[in-house]
Amino acid sequence: MSATAPSTAFVLVTDAGYFPRALRTIADLRGAGGWDGEVVVLAVGFRPPADDLDAARVTCRVVEHLDTDGLVAALREHPIRPMADGRHFGKLAQWDKLQVFEPWIRRWERVIYLDAGLRVLDGVDALLALDWRGRLIAPDDALPGDNGRRFRCQLDLDANPPVRDRLIADFGEGILDSRYFLNCLWIFDTRLVERCARADLEDSMNRYPISLTNEMAIMNLHFAFRLRAWEPLPERDASGKRLFGWSELDYPGTTWRDFRLLKYPVTGP
């Protein structure tokens, strides 16, 4: 390992509607998170106001929406179970997370992705201390404890039997009962894009149109199961503080102050 600190950037992806949430996360990152380094925003289909970018000290990369027409056609022909947030047709911009896995990301050795709106409540030094080389580190969706979630719950296995059979032939039936990661937060060695790039992920988006969680299941297929590169995010840092939670409601007796990052805090701040 180099004696110097690895080049690192925090990256967010947002469309125009989510941009205020992205700014909230960046303000957290600069404030409570204590991050003074590079922050990159992939702006999907719009150009954020220059004043906002300058105030947040952010580099902006404007991209067009990833082509999801083939996926949408497949979902209309073989509908999968709807989700409460209407994501399969109403949140197609979630697929644009796959645009992080482009060659340009190799500018940095390590990238830490955060969803727009995720709250950074304490220093990110605990994330920077993790051994990230050769890995994609992300939260295990079976936590806290073991809630029983396994990868089969990420797929609609009945909607399109030929696709189901293709997926099992490609990856093996064992993945269905395997643990998997949440992709609202991930830390990864950008060398991984040499083994799995946007084109691979986009091909799988169209090859397996049975993902109930949009891009999350597809990322798991490659990073958790094909490459075996996923490392679960530790539950606690060296001090004993919880690194991440979906909500403090999942951890009775806690408040937002017990976490470094929360997806949906309800007790504040």
Side-chain angles (χ1 to χ4, degrees):
M1 183 180 294
S2 171
T4 59
S7 57
T8 301
F10 280 78
V11 173
L12 296 86
V13 176
T14 181
D15 59 9
Y18 268 71
F19 185 58
R21 302 189 198 191
L23 290 177
R24 172 70 269 180
T25 298
I26 294 166
D28 283 352
L29 186 58
R30 295 298 194 197
W35 177 247
D36 196 42
E38 293 190 75
V39 178
V40 180
V41 168
L42 268 69
V44 181
F46 81 111
R47 184 171 295 278
D51 288 349
D52 287 336
L53 297 175
D54 291 344
R57 291 178 288 137
V58 166
T59 299
C60 181
R61 184 179 181 90
V62 176
V63 297
E64 293 306 311
H65 175 55
L66 184 146
D67 183 0
T68 54
D69 289 351
L71 170 69
V72 167
L75 292 176
R76 294 201 186 283
E77 184 176 357
H78 298 279
I80 61 178
R81 294 195 308 275
M83 303 293 278
D85 61 0
R87 68 182 58 189
H88 301 140
F89 299 110
K91 291 190 173 184
L92 288 168
Q94 289 181 338
W95 289 99
D96 289 300
K97 291 185 190 180
L98 303 185
Q99 299 200 59
V100 174
F101 299 98
E102 291 270 22
W104 62 269
I105 207 70
R106 290 286 282 119
R107 175 178 171 183
W108 301 278
E109 296 172 84
R110 171 178 57 187
V111 156
I112 303 177
Y113 169 86
L114 303 176
D115 265 359
L118 188 146
R119 300 306 304 272
V120 181
L121 307 169
D122 204 342
V124 297
D125 53 299
L127 300 181
L128 301 173
L130 299 175
D131 184 3
W132 53 276
R133 293 190 183 274
R135 299 174 171 144
L136 183 146
I137 302 172
D140 184 340
D141 198 24
L143 298 176
D146 183 353
N147 57 31
R149 289 181 188 141
R150 298 298 185 265
F151 188 62
R152 68 173 62 247
C153 76
Q154 300 299 294
L155 307 169
D156 188 334
L157 295 171
D158 299 318
N160 193 333
V163 168
R164 174 198 61 210
D165 295 345
R166 180 188 307 149
L167 185 146
I168 290 173
D170 290 347
F171 290 92
E173 195 167 1
I175 70 169
L176 300 179
D177 295 312
S178 296
R179 293 167 85 132
Y180 62 91
F181 63 82
L182 290 168
N183 73 338
C184 57
L185 153 69
W186 74 77
I187 306 164
F188 80 106
D189 183 337
T190 61
R191 290 176 299 178
L192 288 172
V193 301
E194 297 170 3
R195 301 170 63 198
C196 181
R198 168 188 166 175
D200 303 301
L201 295 158
E202 192 171 356
D203 177 71
S204 292
M205 172 188 75
N206 291 302
R207 183 171 173 80
Y208 313 112
I210 56 173
S211 170
L212 294 170
T213 52
N214 285 0
E215 83 300 333
M216 189 168 91
I218 300 304
M219 283 183 59
N220 271 277
L221 286 176
H222 284 273
F223 292 105
F225 304 130
R226 180 171 69 86
L227 299 181
R228 302 290 176 184
W230 171 45
E231 180 80 17
L233 182 76
E235 291 189 68
R236 297 177 184 269
D237 63 21
S239 73
K241 191 165 191 174
R242 295 186 184 277
L243 276 179
F244 169 82
W246 189 255
S247 167
E248 62 270 50
L249 295 180
D250 296 326
Y251 301 81
T254 67
T255 71
W256 66 270
R257 292 181 175 84
D258 296 302
F259 298 83
R260 287 188 180 264
L261 301 103
L262 278 170
K263 176 66 173 173
Y264 294 115
V266 296
T267 57

